[in-house]
Amino acid sequence: MSTPKRPADIYMRFLQLAEALRGLPSLPALDPLEERILAIVARAGQAEERLSVRDMMAKKDLGSPATLHTRLISMREKGWIMLSDTEDTRRKQIELTQAALLHFDKLSKCLIQATKLS
């Protein structure tokens, strides 16, 4: 890889490497809304914040509650998220699956590789 001429080159290289991950057999692909939801779940987990299904469905900028509910079901079936019980059995906590965490590990490696200069 050649030396980046500008900072945007590093980001473009990261996008290229991340796109290559999509071709690998792992978890089924996500649509753009599901990717946004995944990022929200990941950030909440990183910040050690609780994120329930109700909390997610209250995020008006992501669409209607029915749309979000459908996407959460889809993401669960695809293996990206899991729902765990809380002290209130009516509320479910949204968490990343081990497979989703491994995906983020791979993306992190892509970011590190993109920043390396050769």
Side-chain angles (χ1 to χ4, degrees):
M1 180 168 75
S2 63
T3 303
K5 295 174 181 58
R6 36 182 246 236
D9 293 339
I10 293 170
Y11 183 69
M12 296 303 167
R13 177 71 178 146
F14 164 72
L15 290 178
Q16 181 183 24
L17 294 167
E19 185 65 30
L21 282 181
R22 293 182 186 189
L24 298 177
S26 58
L27 294 171
L30 299 173
D31 68 30
L33 178 57
E34 291 171 339
E35 287 184 9
R36 286 181 62 198
I37 293 169
L38 187 71
I40 291 168
V41 174
R43 284 193 304 269
Q46 185 70 23
E48 297 181 7
E49 295 173 353
R50 296 181 63 159
L51 181 65
S52 69
V53 172
R54 178 181 283 168
D55 296 334
M56 184 63 77
M57 291 174 68
K59 295 184 180 297
K60 302 293 183 204
D61 61 321
L62 296 176
S64 73
T67 297
L68 287 172
H69 190 262
T70 301
R71 290 308 201 290
L72 290 173
I73 291 171
S74 171
M75 293 173 72
R76 189 172 165 206
E77 291 172 351
K78 291 176 181 179
W80 288 95
I81 61 170
M82 61 184 170
L83 303 179
S84 58
D85 291 326
T86 63
E87 57 277 347
D88 180 352
T89 57
R90 296 170 294 170
R91 293 183 71 124
K92 299 291 183 187
Q93 183 80 17
I94 306 171
E95 299 175 351
L96 297 177
T97 62
Q98 189 63 34
L101 291 169
L102 290 173
H103 174 76
F104 281 115
D105 288 345
K106 290 176 186 175
L107 283 176
S108 295
K109 289 177 183 175
C110 289
L111 186 57
I112 291 166
Q113 185 177 348
T115 60
K116 288 184 180 177
L117 303 177
S118 59

Short mmCIF file of all heavy atoms in Angstrom, two decimals, residues 4-5 8 14 16 23 26 32 39-40 44 50 61 72 75 78 81-82 86-87 91 97 100 102 108 113-114 116:
data_model
loop_
_atom_site.label_atom_id
_atom_site.label_comp_id
_atom_site.label_asym_id
_atom_site.label_seq_id
_atom_site.Cartn_x
_atom_site.Cartn_y
_atom_site.Cartn_z
N PRO A 4 -0.57 7.30 2.20
CA PRO A 4 -1.73 8.15 1.90
C PRO A 4 -1.29 9.59 1.64
O PRO A 4 -0.41 10.10 2.32
CB PRO A 4 -2.58 8.06 3.16
CG PRO A 4 -2.12 6.83 3.87
CD PRO A 4 -0.69 6.66 3.50
N LYS A 5 -1.92 10.21 0.67
CA LYS A 5 -1.59 11.60 0.34
C LYS A 5 -2.38 12.57 1.20
O LYS A 5 -1.99 13.69 1.41
CB LYS A 5 -1.86 11.84 -1.14
CG LYS A 5 -0.94 11.02 -2.04
CD LYS A 5 -1.33 11.19 -3.49
CE LYS A 5 -0.47 10.39 -4.42
NZ LYS A 5 -0.45 8.96 -4.20
N ALA A 8 -8.14 11.55 4.15
CA ALA A 8 -9.30 10.85 3.58
C ALA A 8 -8.89 9.53 2.93
O ALA A 8 -9.70 8.60 2.87
CB ALA A 8 -10.01 11.74 2.57
N PHE A 14 -9.98 2.09 4.60
CA PHE A 14 -10.78 1.37 5.59
C PHE A 14 -12.09 0.90 4.97
O PHE A 14 -12.49 -0.26 5.16
CB PHE A 14 -11.06 2.25 6.81
CG PHE A 14 -12.17 1.72 7.67
CD1 PHE A 14 -11.98 0.59 8.46
CD2 PHE A 14 -13.41 2.33 7.67
CE1 PHE A 14 -13.01 0.07 9.23
CE2 PHE A 14 -14.44 1.83 8.45
CZ PHE A 14 -14.23 0.69 9.23
N GLN A 16 -12.72 0.22 1.92
CA GLN A 16 -12.40 -0.87 0.99
C GLN A 16 -12.20 -2.18 1.76
O GLN A 16 -12.71 -3.23 1.38
CB GLN A 16 -11.16 -0.50 0.19
CG GLN A 16 -10.76 -1.55 -0.82
CD GLN A 16 -9.47 -1.15 -1.55
OE1 GLN A 16 -8.66 -0.37 -1.04
NE2 GLN A 16 -9.29 -1.68 -2.74
N GLY A 23 -18.03 -9.82 1.99
CA GLY A 23 -18.00 -10.97 1.11
C GLY A 23 -17.65 -12.27 1.82
O GLY A 23 -17.79 -13.35 1.26
N SER A 26 -20.12 -15.07 7.14
CA SER A 26 -20.25 -14.86 8.59
C SER A 26 -21.73 -14.61 8.85
O SER A 26 -22.54 -15.45 8.54
CB SER A 26 -19.37 -13.68 9.04
OG SER A 26 -19.70 -12.51 8.36
N PRO A 32 -29.46 -0.72 5.69
CA PRO A 32 -28.93 0.51 6.31
C PRO A 32 -29.56 0.84 7.67
O PRO A 32 -28.86 1.26 8.59
CB PRO A 32 -29.23 1.60 5.28
CG PRO A 32 -29.20 0.86 3.97
CD PRO A 32 -29.81 -0.49 4.27
N ALA A 39 -25.24 -0.02 15.42
CA ALA A 39 -24.31 0.98 15.96
C ALA A 39 -24.82 1.53 17.29
O ALA A 39 -24.04 1.72 18.23
CB ALA A 39 -24.08 2.10 14.96
N ILE A 40 -26.12 1.77 17.39
CA ILE A 40 -26.70 2.27 18.63
C ILE A 40 -26.55 1.24 19.75
O ILE A 40 -26.16 1.57 20.87
CB ILE A 40 -28.18 2.65 18.43
CG1 ILE A 40 -28.28 3.88 17.52
CG2 ILE A 40 -28.89 2.89 19.76
CD1 ILE A 40 -29.68 4.17 17.01
N ALA A 44 -24.22 1.72 23.11
CA ALA A 44 -24.83 1.57 24.44
C ALA A 44 -24.07 0.51 25.23
O ALA A 44 -23.79 0.70 26.43
CB ALA A 44 -26.30 1.19 24.31
N ARG A 50 -27.93 0.61 29.66
CA ARG A 50 -28.99 -0.33 29.35
C ARG A 50 -29.77 0.19 28.15
O ARG A 50 -30.04 1.39 28.05
CB ARG A 50 -29.90 -0.50 30.54
CG ARG A 50 -29.16 -1.13 31.72
CD ARG A 50 -30.05 -1.30 32.88
NE ARG A 50 -31.10 -2.24 32.49
CZ ARG A 50 -31.83 -2.93 33.33
NH1 ARG A 50 -31.66 -2.78 34.61
NH2 ARG A 50 -32.76 -3.75 32.90
N ASP A 61 -36.35 9.07 15.34
CA ASP A 61 -35.57 9.31 14.13
C ASP A 61 -35.25 8.02 13.36
O ASP A 61 -34.77 8.07 12.23
CB ASP A 61 -34.28 10.07 14.45
CG ASP A 61 -33.37 9.32 15.39
OD1 ASP A 61 -33.87 8.68 16.33
OD2 ASP A 61 -32.14 9.38 15.18
N LEU A 72 -35.72 -5.33 14.59
CA LEU A 72 -35.12 -6.03 15.73
C LEU A 72 -35.33 -7.54 15.61
O LEU A 72 -34.42 -8.32 15.88
CB LEU A 72 -35.70 -5.50 17.05
CG LEU A 72 -35.29 -4.08 17.43
CD1 LEU A 72 -36.05 -3.62 18.67
CD2 LEU A 72 -33.80 -3.97 17.64
N MET A 75 -32.90 -8.72 12.91
CA MET A 75 -31.51 -8.73 13.38
C MET A 75 -31.27 -9.88 14.35
O MET A 75 -30.19 -10.47 14.36
CB MET A 75 -31.17 -7.39 14.04
CG MET A 75 -31.14 -6.24 13.06
SD MET A 75 -30.94 -4.66 13.89
CE MET A 75 -29.22 -4.78 14.39
N LYS A 78 -31.03 -13.00 12.27
CA LYS A 78 -29.76 -13.03 11.53
C LYS A 78 -28.57 -13.28 12.44
O LYS A 78 -27.46 -13.51 11.98
CB LYS A 78 -29.55 -11.70 10.80
CG LYS A 78 -30.51 -11.48 9.64
CD LYS A 78 -30.30 -10.10 9.03
CE LYS A 78 -31.25 -9.82 7.90
NZ LYS A 78 -31.04 -8.46 7.34
N ILE A 81 -28.11 -9.58 17.15
CA ILE A 81 -28.46 -9.15 18.49
C ILE A 81 -29.18 -10.27 19.23
O ILE A 81 -29.68 -11.23 18.62
CB ILE A 81 -29.36 -7.88 18.50
CG1 ILE A 81 -30.68 -8.15 17.77
CG2 ILE A 81 -28.62 -6.69 17.92
CD1 ILE A 81 -31.72 -7.05 17.94
N MET A 82 -29.24 -10.11 20.54
CA MET A 82 -30.02 -11.02 21.37
C MET A 82 -30.78 -10.17 22.38
O MET A 82 -30.41 -9.03 22.67
CB MET A 82 -29.13 -12.03 22.07
CG MET A 82 -28.11 -11.45 22.99
SD MET A 82 -27.07 -12.76 23.65
CE MET A 82 -25.80 -11.78 24.43
N THR A 86 -34.59 -8.79 31.98
CA THR A 86 -34.21 -7.85 33.02
C THR A 86 -35.00 -8.22 34.27
O THR A 86 -35.74 -9.21 34.27
CB THR A 86 -34.55 -6.39 32.60
OG1 THR A 86 -35.97 -6.29 32.45
CG2 THR A 86 -33.86 -6.00 31.30
N GLU A 87 -34.85 -7.43 35.31
CA GLU A 87 -35.62 -7.72 36.53
C GLU A 87 -37.12 -7.61 36.28
O GLU A 87 -37.92 -8.23 36.95
CB GLU A 87 -35.19 -6.83 37.69
CG GLU A 87 -35.29 -5.34 37.45
CD GLU A 87 -34.10 -4.74 36.70
OE1 GLU A 87 -33.05 -5.40 36.55
OE2 GLU A 87 -34.24 -3.60 36.25
N ARG A 91 -39.75 -6.34 30.12
CA ARG A 91 -38.74 -5.55 29.39
C ARG A 91 -37.59 -6.45 28.98
O ARG A 91 -37.10 -7.24 29.77
CB ARG A 91 -38.23 -4.40 30.25
CG ARG A 91 -39.28 -3.37 30.52
CD ARG A 91 -38.69 -2.23 31.31
NE ARG A 91 -37.80 -1.48 30.45
CZ ARG A 91 -37.91 -0.18 30.23
NH1 ARG A 91 -38.83 0.51 30.81
NH2 ARG A 91 -37.05 0.45 29.45
N THR A 97 -24.61 -10.05 19.98
CA THR A 97 -24.23 -11.45 20.11
C THR A 97 -22.71 -11.55 20.03
O THR A 97 -22.01 -10.60 19.65
CB THR A 97 -24.82 -12.30 18.98
OG1 THR A 97 -24.29 -11.83 17.73
CG2 THR A 97 -26.34 -12.25 18.97
N ALA A 100 -21.58 -10.81 16.57
CA ALA A 100 -21.54 -9.38 16.25
C ALA A 100 -20.28 -8.74 16.84
O ALA A 100 -19.64 -7.90 16.20
CB ALA A 100 -22.79 -8.68 16.77
N LEU A 102 -17.46 -10.23 17.33
CA LEU A 102 -16.35 -10.67 16.47
C LEU A 102 -16.31 -9.85 15.18
O LEU A 102 -15.23 -9.54 14.68
CB LEU A 102 -16.47 -12.17 16.16
CG LEU A 102 -16.21 -13.10 17.33
CD1 LEU A 102 -16.54 -14.54 16.94
CD2 LEU A 102 -14.78 -12.98 17.83
N SER A 108 -12.31 -3.44 13.46
CA SER A 108 -11.22 -2.75 14.15
C SER A 108 -9.88 -3.07 13.50
O SER A 108 -9.04 -2.19 13.32
CB SER A 108 -11.19 -3.13 15.62
OG SER A 108 -12.34 -2.68 16.27
N GLN A 113 -5.33 -1.64 10.04
CA GLN A 113 -4.58 -1.91 8.81
C GLN A 113 -4.60 -0.71 7.88
O GLN A 113 -3.61 -0.39 7.23
CB GLN A 113 -5.17 -3.14 8.12
CG GLN A 113 -4.39 -3.58 6.89
CD GLN A 113 -4.98 -4.84 6.27
OE1 GLN A 113 -5.82 -5.51 6.86
NE2 GLN A 113 -4.52 -5.16 5.08
N ALA A 114 -5.74 -0.02 7.82
CA ALA A 114 -5.85 1.14 6.93
C ALA A 114 -4.94 2.28 7.36
O ALA A 114 -4.49 3.07 6.53
CB ALA A 114 -7.31 1.62 6.89
N LYS A 116 -1.99 1.92 8.86
CA LYS A 116 -0.56 1.57 8.75
C LYS A 116 0.00 2.11 7.43
O LYS A 116 -0.60 1.95 6.37
CB LYS A 116 -0.37 0.07 8.82
CG LYS A 116 -0.60 -0.47 10.20
CD LYS A 116 -0.32 -1.95 10.26
CE LYS A 116 -0.55 -2.45 11.67
NZ LYS A 116 -0.35 -3.89 11.74
#
